[in-house]
Amino acid sequence: MTTSPRRDARGNDGWAFPDLVVETWGDLACFTRPELKTERVSYQVMTPSAANGLLQAIFWKPEFQYVIRRIEVLAPIRWTRLRRNEVGSVITGPDYRNLRAGKGRRYDVEEDRDQRSTMCLRDVRYRIHAQIVVAAHARKGSLAHPPVFEEKYREQLRRRVERGACFSQPFFGCREFTAFFGPVNPDQLRLDHTEELGVMLHSIAYTTAGERYRWFRASLLDGVLDVPLRPLGEESVDMPQGPWRADTKEN
């Protein structure tokens, strides 16, 4: 899906509409850094991919995609450590089919259980700024101007946020870390904090060859994480390659 052309004469960095803004909060959050594989350690702030997943849990259709523009941190960055039960292996598609085919075969999660430490955030609150980009196939055969389609989906998202409605329960990185959401509270001030965050996941492209991960250099400036429209080139980031975390379990 490609973004639609934007005119520099427009305000708001060329976007036709003001940003959609959703406030979200929760007790715990873990936005795992990819370079730390054995134990989970969170970034200091919500990642754009997590923000995109949260908005999709509230409202999504295949006719459009979200573009995360910025994330504001509204609560102090606080850490906590806990141990979580995970499994020591990954069930692949062939494994699943073999388990279904063999009546006597089963996967025992108790035997595969593995406790791992998680360095996560607590008492988090963010303000997500996003835009909607409508896919070309959604406008095919229609004479309506493109902003008409955008406004339709924007209004549906606003109504769902105001009602607290969602397709599935949003979460902060891990499904047990429930995320709540609602309209913007104008009295909620942004955190005054500046910090370099390193390389962060920008977005995931789903291609015929599989998932492709795209990155950007992230920094928090006065409590704001600005997300560039375009990620770094593939040659700019050399992420560590290794076995799945689950494959490193000692026998």
Side-chain angles (χ1 to χ4, degrees):
M1 186 182 300
T2 59
T3 57
S4 58
R6 300 180 300 152
R7 297 197 299 269
D8 294 336
R10 292 174 175 171
N12 196 31
D13 295 333
W15 294 99
F17 297 103
D19 288 346
L20 290 162
V21 186
V22 178
E23 210 158 291
T24 181
W25 61 92
D27 297 329
L28 294 170
C30 183
F31 311 109
T32 307
R33 301 191 70 103
E35 65 268 29
L36 302 174
K37 291 180 174 292
T38 302
E39 308 291 347
R40 292 181 183 270
V41 178
S42 177
Y43 281 103
Q44 298 90 323
V45 63
M46 186 183 207
T47 61
S49 56
N52 186 59
L54 186 144
L55 294 180
Q56 288 186 2
I58 299 172
F59 175 64
W60 180 81
K61 288 181 178 294
E63 287 79 16
F64 72 89
Q65 69 176 5
Y66 292 105
V67 176
I68 306 301
R69 299 247 299 137
R70 67 176 57 88
I71 299 171
E72 296 181 62
V73 181
L74 306 179
I77 300 174
R78 298 189 177 99
W79 298 91
T80 188
R81 185 189 296 273
L82 51 86
R83 296 187 68 83
R84 301 168 58 247
N85 287 328
E86 300 187 20
V87 293
S89 61
V90 177
I91 300 298
T92 63
D95 292 335
Y96 173 74
R97 289 189 289 271
N98 290 336
L99 286 170
R100 285 182 59 87
K103 294 183 179 180
R105 302 186 61 183
R106 61 188 292 268
Y107 171 71
D108 192 343
V109 69
E110 295 297 333
E111 293 183 358
D112 201 25
R113 189 181 304 280
D114 189 15
Q115 277 200 342
R116 291 193 174 95
S117 176
T118 298
M119 179 64 76
C120 59
L121 303 166
R122 62 183 178 91
D123 303 324
V124 299
R125 193 177 191 99
Y126 305 107
R127 191 175 289 148
I128 302 170
H129 296 248
Q131 289 283 342
I132 281 179
V133 176
V134 179
H137 69 82
R139 303 191 299 267
K140 188 175 182 180
S142 175
L143 300 178
H145 199 261
V148 173
F149 296 92
E150 296 177 25
E151 185 60 25
K152 176 177 66 174
Y153 297 127
R154 289 168 61 90
E155 286 300 325
Q156 291 182 68
L157 175 66
R158 289 193 195 99
R159 290 194 296 269
R160 296 183 70 84
V161 170
E162 290 173 357
R163 299 199 313 266
C166 56
F167 289 126
S168 60
Q169 180 62 54
F171 55 90
F172 287 134
C174 301
R175 289 193 179 274
E176 59 266 40
F177 297 161
T178 301
F180 306 95
F181 62 92
V184 172
N185 178 6
D187 297 328
Q188 187 72 48
L189 300 179
R190 191 173 65 227
L191 179 68
D192 184 13
H193 182 80
T194 298
E195 183 177 357
E196 289 291 334
L197 306 177
V199 176
M200 180 180 286
L201 182 63
H202 180 279
S203 54
I204 303 175
Y206 298 94
T207 68
T208 54
E211 297 180 351
R212 302 184 70 87
Y213 299 92
R214 301 182 293 191
W215 311 88
F216 75 108
R217 293 187 177 90
S219 60
L220 201 61
L221 180 61
D222 296 331
V224 179
L225 173 67
D226 281 312
V227 184
L229 182 62
R230 300 186 183 280
L232 295 170
E234 293 186 4
E235 70 285 352
S236 302
V237 182
D238 186 15
M239 297 301 293
Q241 300 294 323
W244 277 83
R245 177 183 56 188
D247 292 341
T248 61
K249 180 179 178 181
E250 296 181 1
N251 296 322

